[in-house]
Amino acid sequence: MTESFENYLVRRVSAHENYQDLLRFPRYFEIETINACNARCPMCTIDQWDRQAPAMKDALFAKIADELCANADTVKRVSLYRNGEPLLDKKLAKRVAQLKAGGIKQVAISTNVSLLTAERAKDLLEAGLDVVLLSIDSLDKAVFEKIRVRLIHEEVMENARRFIELRNRIRPQTQIWIRMIRQEENHDEWPVFEQYWKSLLAPHDRVNFHNLHNWGGQLKNFKPVVDSYEPGLPCIALWSLMIIFATGDVPLCNVNYDDKWLVGQLRDHSIAEVWRSEAMNDYRRLHLSGDKAKIPLCLDCNVWDEPPDRDKVAPEFGEAVTVSAITSG
């Protein structure tokens, strides 16, 4: 069984490599440069956040960036977001430019679009941003504002349309991914939503949805919109994706929103050391042996489930994964 699981992981993460390659260095990163948000969405765990360092210090980011750039040949994507709204970070464009100057092939952000002004859009595009995920959950004002609490529908729509125009003019190769978090309130809107945005986007852009997930069983009042049929496979995040909090702490995975289930920290250690650590390998062994339910966070997690309508699920991480941060945008 372990061997078949290893083959499955290689196929999902990086099919041209072998299993040992996956253990050397992560292929995907989500770096939380700021732990704050201007929205209060019901599908988010923000009311349960309990971390006291909202912004990443320049020295820590530089340390992380240096190691990422030294491994740019194997890193597939660096996403500058995790919990919160990345555009609250006034240094975001400079950080994008720093990674691009160091050879990172693809730098991405996910945003709720409310702060994506013309000035911020130009700065990010000129910095070399490769992928921008615009998280917009409805074309209907009432539905949108019920989901995206504290945001104004008209502002978000205007910002999104203007960003498309600026992208077309300033940096046409930048990809725009527009994503709906599909849930009870907007479940039936998808066909109209998809048609509207596709009419405005370029062929290399994407319009997708991801079904609401339960944050590893931590989301209160969770109501699934499709049946889950996750077959007990090992979670590909443990072999592909590293999350880095603004403090430099590294949690087990991307549903680990607080200082629980940490596997290391990057203030005094390297990315490679944490990725190859005994803590990480212990969790991997449980997943490979079919015992991931022994990890409370993994027991009831449906983040990586593949629903019957999986062909429309947002492929935020290409080969590796099918969903990204719901709180980040």
Side-chain angles (χ1 to χ4, degrees):
M1 182 66 74
T2 297
E3 183 177 355
S4 62
F5 278 167
E6 290 179 359
N7 292 335
Y8 160 79
L9 291 163
V10 170
R11 177 176 58 83
R12 290 293 305 278
V13 177
S14 193
H16 65 284
E17 299 183 273
N18 60 53
Y19 179 76
Q20 291 303 316
D21 291 330
L22 306 186
L23 302 177
R24 293 192 180 102
F25 203 79
R27 297 300 187 270
Y28 300 89
F29 290 83
E30 287 183 4
I31 303 175
E32 175 194 86
T33 67
I34 193 157
N35 177 227
C37 192
N38 60 332
R40 291 297 182 272
C41 307
M43 69 278 194
C44 176
T45 56
I46 189 169
D47 291 333
Q48 302 171 54
W49 294 357
D50 189 27
R51 287 189 280 126
Q52 305 303 317
M56 181 174 284
K57 295 180 179 179
D58 292 345
L60 177 59
F61 184 82
K63 177 181 183 293
I64 293 167
D66 285 347
E67 188 174 1
L68 290 174
C69 294
N71 290 273
D73 57 332
T74 59
V75 173
K76 295 190 175 185
R77 180 177 298 127
V78 176
S79 301
L80 295 179
Y81 60 86
R82 171 69 322 250
N83 297 312
E85 170 51 50
L87 289 177
L88 289 170
D89 180 2
K90 301 302 183 185
K91 300 176 180 177
L92 189 61
K94 291 182 179 179
R95 288 171 166 168
V96 171
Q98 184 174 349
L99 292 171
K100 293 303 295 181
I104 298 300
K105 293 182 284 292
Q106 196 168 72
V107 180
I109 67 165
S110 171
T111 174
N112 64 32
V113 197
S114 64
L115 304 177
L116 193 57
T117 63
E119 181 181 3
R120 298 300 299 280
K122 290 176 183 176
D123 287 346
L124 288 166
L125 289 166
E126 290 170 357
L129 189 64
D130 299 292
V131 179
V132 182
L133 191 157
L134 307 181
S135 198
I136 305 171
D137 296 322
S138 180
L139 300 176
D140 180 89
K141 177 178 173 64
V143 173
F144 175 89
E145 293 183 359
K146 183 177 180 180
I147 295 173
R148 295 287 168 171
V149 177
R150 297 188 181 180
L151 304 188
I152 299 172
H153 180 254
E154 293 87 348
E155 291 181 357
V156 167
M157 294 294 288
E158 180 182 355
N159 288 349
R161 288 190 291 260
R162 182 179 58 233
F163 184 80
I164 295 169
E165 294 172 1
L166 288 170
R167 185 281 306 269
N168 293 345
R169 177 160 53 86
I170 297 172
R171 196 172 190 271
Q173 67 268 39
T174 295
Q175 295 181 50
I176 297 174
W177 301 350
I178 295 182
R179 179 192 63 187
M180 169 194 285
I181 301 302
R182 199 173 66 158
Q183 50 202 284
E184 191 175 29
E185 289 80 4
N186 63 4
H187 182 270
D188 295 329
E189 191 181 333
W190 168 251
V192 174
F193 182 95
E194 180 185 33
Q195 183 178 20
Y196 174 81
W197 289 112
K198 278 193 170 182
S199 70
L200 300 178
L201 294 173
H204 67 295
D205 297 327
R206 300 175 181 175
V207 184
N208 298 98
F209 68 76
H210 179 67
N211 292 316
L212 182 68
H213 69 79
N214 67 0
W215 286 93
Q218 300 173 98
L219 184 65
K220 297 177 181 178
N221 303 314
F222 171 69
K223 294 180 180 179
V225 295
V226 293
D227 291 334
S228 167
Y229 64 96
E230 212 288 331
L233 294 168
C235 177
I236 55 177
L238 297 181
W239 285 265
S240 61
L241 174 64
M242 177 175 280
I243 307 300
I244 304 172
F245 286 158
T247 57
D249 289 333
V250 178
L252 175 61
C253 68
N254 64 340
V255 301
N256 190 169
Y257 58 82
D258 248 329
D259 289 332
K260 300 175 289 187
W261 308 101
L262 299 180
V263 295
Q265 53 87 7
L266 299 180
R267 297 178 298 279
D268 305 305
H269 298 279
S270 70
I271 292 169
E273 287 172 336
V274 174
W275 190 245
R276 303 168 192 173
S277 68
E278 193 60 30
M280 281 295 295
N281 287 328
D282 284 345
Y283 286 123
R284 290 179 182 124
R285 279 190 284 269
L286 286 172
H287 276 245
L288 286 174
S289 64
D291 292 324
K292 69 178 183 179
K294 292 181 179 179
I295 308 168
L297 194 65
C298 305
L299 173 64
D300 191 35
C301 182
N302 72 337
V303 169
W304 310 113
D305 290 3
E306 295 185 359
D309 45 11
R310 61 190 178 277
D311 61 311
K312 295 295 185 181
V313 172
E316 271 89 327
F317 292 98
E319 295 168 274
V321 300
T322 57
V323 63
S324 183
I326 283 183
T327 53
S328 299

